[in-house]
Amino acid sequence: MSVILEPAIADQLPSVSATQLVAGIQKVGRAVAAHGAVLITKHDQPAYVLMSVERYRELQRAAEPDLGALGGEFDAMLARMQGQGDALSDAFAMAPEAIGHAAARAAKRSRRKAA
């Protein structure tokens, strides 16, 4: 199975073959320390990325959701939705014909604004 790697990743990281890795782990370790990660190839194809523990932890932290920020976004969305309670109640109480007329009026207004 061949993996296609984005060119930007291959350009950003030093590359080392699996043979070079086995023969020179200390050299590879120095490259990881210097660059944060190295690209390991197998048969001239990208196969792995070897990275420092610090870089791995950074990636893990970046992948974790900020629950405080998400909670704030949810609260703001809920407040906006609750603020439109009367309009929603009115819309659900409307007869189908009245909804159609309201939609047609809104479409006309939106066409006028676009023109």
Side-chain angles (χ1 to χ4, degrees):
M1 173 171 75
S2 176
V3 176
I4 298 174
L5 190 70
E6 295 178 46
I9 294 173
D11 293 342
Q12 292 173 0
L13 298 176
S15 177
V16 62
S17 71
T19 303
Q20 290 171 321
L21 176 62
V22 171
I25 192 69
Q26 289 180 340
K27 183 178 177 183
V28 173
R30 286 192 296 274
V32 170
H35 300 281
V38 294
L39 178 67
I40 301 170
T41 61
K42 188 172 184 178
H43 305 293
D44 294 324
Q45 294 295 316
Y48 308 97
V49 173
L50 182 65
M51 68 182 72
S52 67
V53 171
E54 293 82 18
R55 179 69 179 131
Y56 176 78
R57 287 181 181 145
E58 289 172 12
L59 292 173
Q60 289 296 313
R61 281 192 297 273
E64 292 175 1
D66 181 352
L67 296 180
L70 288 175
E73 289 177 30
F74 175 81
D75 291 343
M77 185 186 314
L78 180 61
R80 283 192 310 271
M81 291 168 61
Q82 288 176 336
Q84 298 184 11
D86 293 338
L88 289 175
S89 296
D90 292 345
F92 280 109
M94 291 173 79
E97 296 82 20
I99 293 174
H101 291 296
R105 282 192 308 270
K108 287 179 186 176
R109 282 191 301 261
S110 125
R111 276 188 244 139
R112 281 187 218 134
K113 287 181 183 177

